[in-house]
Each structure stands twice: as C-alpha cells, then as structure tokens.
C-alpha cells in the first residue's frame, strides 16, 4: 500500500476507498498523534466541519465517534468552508481541526484533512506518524481502538453558530472607510459550486456592500461541483452577462479556491489574482520582503510581470501547505497557485477563497477600476494542461523515455517556455503542462508528451 495522504489530505471514493471504518480509525490515529503532548486534563478539543456531500454525513459521524472515543471533545461545525475550519481551530483554541471534503472533486469522492493547533496543515512527518499509528489501530495484533481513555470519553457539541465568527473575521480584514461599504457600487455574481460556501459567500459579499446574485447555491448532497464552480465557469460567465454584473466569483466545493471573470466574461485565474494583490500590497508597502510565493505550475507571464516590478519569486511544489511552509519560513505574506488557492498570511493560515474574493473585489472598488483593467498588469502565456489517467504514476520519475521527451521539448522551447510533467497529488492522473509564446507549439508538445506518458508500461 502506498502513502495514504496525498497533496491535501486523504481522498477517495466514499464507501469504497474512504469507508466509515477508515474514517473512524483515521480519527483515532490522528487524535493519538495530535494530542500526544496534551496534559490529561482538561480533555483536548477538536473542531470538525464538512462540505454538503451526502457521504459527509456518515463520514462525519465516524470521525466524531473516533475522536470522542479517544477522549477528545468535539465541536461540530456542520457544513462550512475548509478555511473556516482552519481559522476556527485557532480562534477557538482547539488542539486540532478535521475537515471532510474532496474540494473540487465530484460528489462521489470525499476526503479527510487535518489542521494542527493554530489552524495550520500538517507537515509530512506528522502525516507519516498518523499513518504509522493507523497501521497499529487496524492491525489484528494492535488495539482496535483507544479503550476507555484516561480523561474519559469526549463530549460532542453543536458549534454551527461559530461560522458567524468566521464571517466577522473575513469582513474585519478590510479597512473601514467612513460610512461607505468596501464593495459599494459593485454588482457581483458568486458561484458557490453547490458547496460549503453556498450560504456564507453571498452573505459576506452583501455585508461588504455588493449587489449580489448567487448561483450554484442549492446543494442537495449530489450536485457539488457539477457543471458549476471554479472547475466549470460557463454558468458564471452566462450569469455575469445576463445580469450586467461587474464581476463574477467562482468557488470550489470547500471554498478554499477563488477564480473570477470580468464584466466581459474573461476568466481571471489564480496567477492573475496573485498579480493584482501583489501590486496592491507592494503599493501599500505591505508586501513583506517584496516577495510572492508561487508553485511550479504558475504561469511564466506572472513570473515575468513580478520580476519587472522588482518583486522576488519563491517557487514550491503544488499544494497550499507547501506555499504556507515557504511563506512562514521566509515571513512572506502572499502566495498562491493558478488553480485559485491564494494565501494572505496576515489574515489566514491556508488558502481561503472567500477572503481572496473579498480582497480582489475591494482592490477593484477602491481603485475605481474594472477587474479586466486590473489584470492587465500581467500577460498570461499560452499554457496547455493535459491530464493522463490509467498509468502508473510512479513511472514518471523513472522512465528514461519520458525524461528524453521532456528534455527534447525543453530544448525546442529554449527560454521562451516551460515544461512540467508530474503526478497529481489529489487525483489518479499525471499532469502534463507546456507553456509557450506560440499556443500551437504548446498544444503540439503537450500532446506529444501526453502520448509518451500513456505509453508508460
């Protein structure tokens, strides 16, 4: 069996890969690791949230059972965005947090992710320790569970009202301007992906002063991310045109992502959002170290625009926990990735789609400029991304044929493009990415490399 944890927690098809038994055992193992230094009294506290997938109900019950049986008091937050769980883990002084979500994945999938004290994602070493403890919990010779914990069984409390604390926090991150609301005058369409932000995202934007049209805000447990949200922007573009909106905002199922469209329906990706926020922070003198942290997937156009503005770039692997790790190490305040995970470390410990939307729109409103104008600070290089399924992802790092093909593509591009081939950390696919000034060249090289990946034995 390979490593259980991927780029962002443990994911799989609910009921097949991610069963109730595994969820409970994982909660027991996680509690053992994350409360190892906690004194016997009082009992440690964990917060637990989920997105509205149907499977989240039984998986939440299993996680709560595992935690309470381990002597952990549980604050059950209900349906709530992932970044809210991170924030409330810190704000409520919890020992750790647990979120049940598969983010942008389709409804049959689900996942479990942990936050350590302070609302930060776990380092690889902590995840490895949880996996080791899980093996003991599930082995025939090891304990089936924690037994009767020394400090007694944990108690479970409904804490769904705490989402208001999170909403208040989001709004507090924008400076006041007399009696004028920060988003006054903006008409905004927000696509909630029938996910965890379906209630809170429209309310946040309205409280900030925007005229809001909400779509994708009727979750039924089966429609999350289905033809809507940040992975499918067609409905948002149509709604922006229909309502004559100034902007559209798209979240994914757990609302840790934010993408946008401008008044003309042009897509604004995470790289462009990063550029807008970076220049705004630099102008305000609040871009620590004049540095932005990006991932290997970030567009070459972003890197060139930042460099021209005298802003340094630090690169990490894909995944917002790697971004946060680099940001905390360098004491930087802004980082993110093309998919829309943006981290504003002065206000959040992880990617927060609602926070990102608020600050992006506030920048536009404060400058009196449409989003389309703001994003002209960078030129997006043509980028082709192909996902290849049905291959052994471990061969990506060891195949001589693939290595030779990548080197040949890089040689052809010279300094005018980039090539990246990597296994996905959240899905069973291999990602092939090619950037080039010429979109036709990017398409041709990406197709050729994808064919090489498919041919891997």
């Amino acid at each position: 069996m390979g490593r259980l944890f991927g780029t962002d927690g443990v994911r799989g098809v609910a009921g097949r890969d991610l069963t109730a038994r595994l969820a409970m055992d994982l909660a027991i193992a996680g509690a053992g690791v994350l409360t190892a230094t906690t004194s016997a009294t009082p009992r440690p506290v964990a917060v637990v949230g989920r997105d509205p997938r149907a499977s989240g109900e039984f998986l939440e019950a299993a996680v709560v059972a595992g935690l309470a049986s381990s002597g952990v008091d549980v604050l059950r937050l209900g349906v709530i965005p992932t970044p809210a769980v991170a924030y409330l883990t810190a704000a409520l002084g919890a020992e750790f947090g647990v979120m049940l979500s598969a983010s942008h994945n389709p409804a049959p999938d689900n996942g479990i992710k942990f936050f350590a004290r302070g609302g930060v994602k776990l380092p690889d070493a902590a995840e490895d320790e949880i996996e080791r403890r899980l093996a003991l919990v599930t082995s025939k010779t090891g304990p089936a569970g924690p037994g009767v914990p020394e400090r007694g069984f944990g108690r479970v409390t409904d804490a769904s009202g705490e989402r208001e604390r999170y909403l208040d926090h989001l709004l507090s991150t924008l400076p006041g301007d007399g009696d004028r609301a920060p988003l006054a005058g903006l008409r905004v369409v927000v696509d909630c992906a029938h996910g965890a932000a379906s209630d809170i995202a429209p309310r946040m934007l309205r409280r900030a002063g925007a005229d809001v049209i909400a779509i994708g805000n009727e979750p039924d447990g089966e429609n999350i991310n289905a033809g809507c949200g940040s992975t499918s922007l067609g409905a948002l573009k149509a709604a922006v045109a229909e309502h004559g909106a100034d902007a559209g905002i798209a979240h994914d199922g757990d609302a840790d992502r934010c993408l946008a469209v401008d008044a003309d329906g042009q897509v604004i990706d995470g790289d462009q959002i990063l550029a807008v926020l970076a220049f705004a922070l630099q102008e305000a003198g609040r871009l620590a170290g004049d540095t932005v942290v990006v991932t290997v997937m970030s567009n070459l156009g972003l890197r060139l625009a930042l460099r021209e503005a005298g802003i340094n770039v630090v690169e990490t692997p894909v995944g917002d926990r790697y971004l946060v790790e680099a940001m905390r190490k360098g004491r930087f305040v802004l980082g993110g990735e093309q998919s829309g995970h943006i981290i504003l470390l002065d206000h959040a410990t992880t990617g927060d789609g609602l926070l990102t939307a608020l600050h992006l729109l506030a920048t536009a409103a404060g400058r009196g400029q449409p989003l389309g104008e703001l994003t002209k600070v960078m030129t997006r290089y043509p980028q082709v991304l192909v996902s290849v399924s049905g291959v052994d992802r471990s061969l990506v790092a060891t195949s001589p044929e693939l290595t030779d093909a990548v080197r040949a593509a890089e040689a052809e591009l010279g300094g005018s493009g980039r090539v990246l081939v990597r296994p996905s950390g959240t899905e069973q696919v291999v990602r092939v990415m090619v950037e080039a000034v010429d979109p036709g060249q990017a398409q041709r090289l990406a197709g050729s490399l994808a064919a090489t990946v498919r041919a891997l034995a």
Side-chain angles (χ1 to χ4, degrees):
M1 178 180 177
R3 192 173 190 269
L4 188 62
F5 283 89
T7 299
D8 200 17
V10 177
R11 287 193 195 178
V13 177
R16 187 183 73 192
D17 307 313
L18 186 56
T19 63
R21 182 74 222 191
L22 176 57
M24 183 169 67
D25 289 343
L26 194 58
I28 293 169
V33 171
L34 298 173
T35 64
T37 59
T38 304
S39 60
T41 56
R43 286 189 297 266
V45 175
V47 297
V48 177
R50 65 179 179 89
D51 72 22
R53 292 166 207 266
S55 62
E57 296 174 1
F58 79 81
L59 290 172
E60 177 194 50
V63 166
V64 169
L67 296 178
S69 72
S70 302
V72 177
D73 287 341
V74 178
L75 300 178
R76 192 162 55 190
L77 302 172
V79 174
I80 195 168
T82 289
V85 173
Y87 170 74
L88 292 170
T89 297
L92 298 176
E95 200 70 28
F96 62 98
V98 184
M99 178 67 184
L100 293 143
S101 176
S103 190
H104 60 283
N105 287 25
D109 292 354
N110 216 320
I112 299 175
K113 62 186 79 175
F114 290 92
F115 293 96
R117 176 174 281 279
V120 297
K121 291 190 177 180
L122 305 188
D124 289 344
E127 291 180 344
D128 291 341
E129 182 58 32
I130 291 174
E131 290 201 25
R132 283 191 288 270
R133 190 173 289 252
L134 177 67
L136 290 175
V137 170
T138 58
S139 69
K140 292 181 180 179
T141 57
V148 179
E150 179 182 351
R151 48 201 160 206
F153 295 116
R155 307 302 297 272
V156 182
T157 304
D158 177 13
S160 56
E162 292 294 346
R163 70 189 64 169
E164 298 306 311
R165 184 193 299 255
Y166 169 64
L167 178 55
D168 290 342
H169 160 69
L170 292 172
L171 293 166
S172 74
T173 65
L174 292 181
D177 184 20
D179 296 327
R180 182 176 172 82
L183 303 188
L186 287 184
R187 171 171 282 192
V188 179
V189 178
V190 59
D191 186 342
C192 305
H194 296 306
S198 293
D199 169 68
I200 197 169
R203 289 200 293 125
M204 176 195 74
L205 295 173
R206 290 188 180 110
R207 281 185 55 182
D211 175 15
V212 180
I213 299 97
I215 64 173
N217 63 329
E218 298 179 352
D220 63 10
E222 305 291 346
N223 60 356
I224 191 168
N225 299 315
C228 57
S230 63
T231 55
S232 184
L233 296 171
L236 180 61
K237 292 179 181 180
V240 167
E242 177 187 351
H243 296 281
D246 299 295
I249 295 294
H251 298 300
D252 60 339
D254 69 338
D256 62 354
R257 295 187 185 195
C258 170
L259 296 181
V261 301
D262 66 17
D264 296 323
Q266 296 299 307
V267 175
I268 299 169
D269 68 14
D271 287 337
Q272 294 168 295
I273 293 171
L274 263 182
V276 170
L277 297 180
F279 291 147
L281 287 171
Q282 184 190 45
E283 184 178 297
R286 294 190 289 115
L287 186 63
D290 278 329
T291 297
V292 174
V293 182
V294 304
T295 76
V296 293
M297 293 294 290
S298 293
N299 194 274
L300 182 59
L302 171 64
R303 299 160 191 267
L304 295 176
L306 294 176
R307 186 184 307 161
E308 186 175 339
I311 297 174
N312 304 310
V313 173
V314 172
E315 185 178 271
T316 75
V318 171
D320 66 352
R321 67 192 180 114
Y322 299 115
L323 290 163
V324 171
E325 181 181 337
M327 292 170 69
R328 292 170 71 90
K329 183 178 179 180
R331 298 185 178 180
F332 307 129
V333 297
L334 180 64
E337 52 188 342
Q338 191 180 80
S339 61
H341 284 127
I342 309 296
I343 300 114
L344 292 156
L345 205 56
D346 280 343
H347 308 299
T349 58
T350 187
D352 189 326
L354 280 76
L355 181 69
T356 301
L358 197 59
H359 282 255
L360 176 66
L361 294 170
T363 300
R367 297 191 175 195
Q369 288 182 278
L371 282 183
E373 284 296 314
L374 285 181
T375 58
K376 288 180 180 178
V377 295
M378 70 164 276
T379 300
R380 185 166 49 183
Y381 271 49
Q383 188 179 78
V384 176
L385 180 64
V386 181
S387 296
V388 183
S389 59
V391 298
D392 184 347
R393 297 185 302 164
S394 67
L395 295 177
V396 169
T398 59
S399 167
E401 293 82 8
L402 182 57
T403 299
D404 290 343
V406 169
R407 286 175 178 167
E410 290 174 334
E412 180 178 332
L413 289 169
S416 63
R418 291 195 308 140
V419 175
L420 182 66
V421 179
R422 67 175 187 89
S424 169
T426 58
E427 300 177 69
Q428 297 300 312
V429 299
V430 173
R431 310 281 193 205
V432 176
M433 186 275 288
V434 178
E435 283 177 342
V437 175
D438 178 2
Q441 183 185 33
Q443 191 72 52
R444 174 175 54 79
L445 290 175
S448 176
L449 288 168
T452 302
V453 172
R454 291 189 187 96
L456 295 178

